[in-house]
Amino acid sequence: MSPKRIFEEDVRGIDWADVVVANMDGADPDSGTCWECGYAYREKPIVIFRSDFRVGHEIRSDAHSAEERDHTPYNLMLTESAAVRLDLPFRSVEDVARSIARTLNDISPAILKAPGV
């Protein structure tokens, strides 16, 4: 598949999705994933998660706590554009999947359909 075709399919997938779930693992989040989050912003909720040990200076126990959002483990443009940020260091793949599934179930259907989220 050509790079242009990959790009077009990626954009089509984001347009189709009700919510974007983005993996922020790594020393710095992937630039393509960052672009996808920016593209989706204001159109649909974004859930970002990080499961590796590089979560910065703080490990949060409550992923939904708004008052803790001023301590960002990576670029604030990502953490602040996300509807939900999950810090899940040292968790198994199964635990990460369960946390994401629980978060998606908690997102209100009204939010999923609301324009200009």
Side-chain angles (χ1 to χ4, degrees):
M1 198 180 314
S2 73
K4 181 169 180 56
R5 177 69 190 239
I6 293 169
F7 172 80
E8 291 168 348
E9 289 297 318
D10 189 26
V11 169
R12 199 172 354 270
I14 296 167
D15 290 342
W16 171 84
D18 290 327
V19 63
V20 170
V21 177
N23 183 336
M24 299 286 120
D25 283 351
D28 198 40
D30 177 75
S31 57
T33 303
C34 294
W35 184 92
E36 294 163 347
C37 289
Y39 179 80
Y41 180 70
R42 290 198 187 253
E43 297 298 323
K44 53 194 71 205
I46 301 167
V47 175
I48 58 175
F49 72 95
R50 197 163 205 169
S51 63
D52 69 11
F53 63 91
R54 295 169 279 209
V55 296
H57 65 281
E58 173 187 22
I59 297 175
R60 299 163 355 126
S61 60
D62 178 7
H64 301 284
S65 180
E67 64 270 9
E68 293 178 358
R69 292 183 80 122
D70 59 339
H71 301 290
T72 60
Y74 40 95
N75 190 293
L76 68 89
M77 298 303 282
L78 294 166
T79 59
E80 298 310 305
S81 63
V84 177
R85 183 180 106 210
L86 300 172
D87 293 331
L88 306 166
F90 310 109
R91 303 278 179 89
S92 70
V93 171
E94 294 80 13
D95 285 344
V96 171
R98 275 191 291 275
S99 293
I100 293 169
R102 221 176 2 260
T103 298
L104 294 175
N105 285 332
D106 290 345
I107 293 176
S108 166
I111 291 174
L112 290 176
K113 299 302 177 193
V117 172

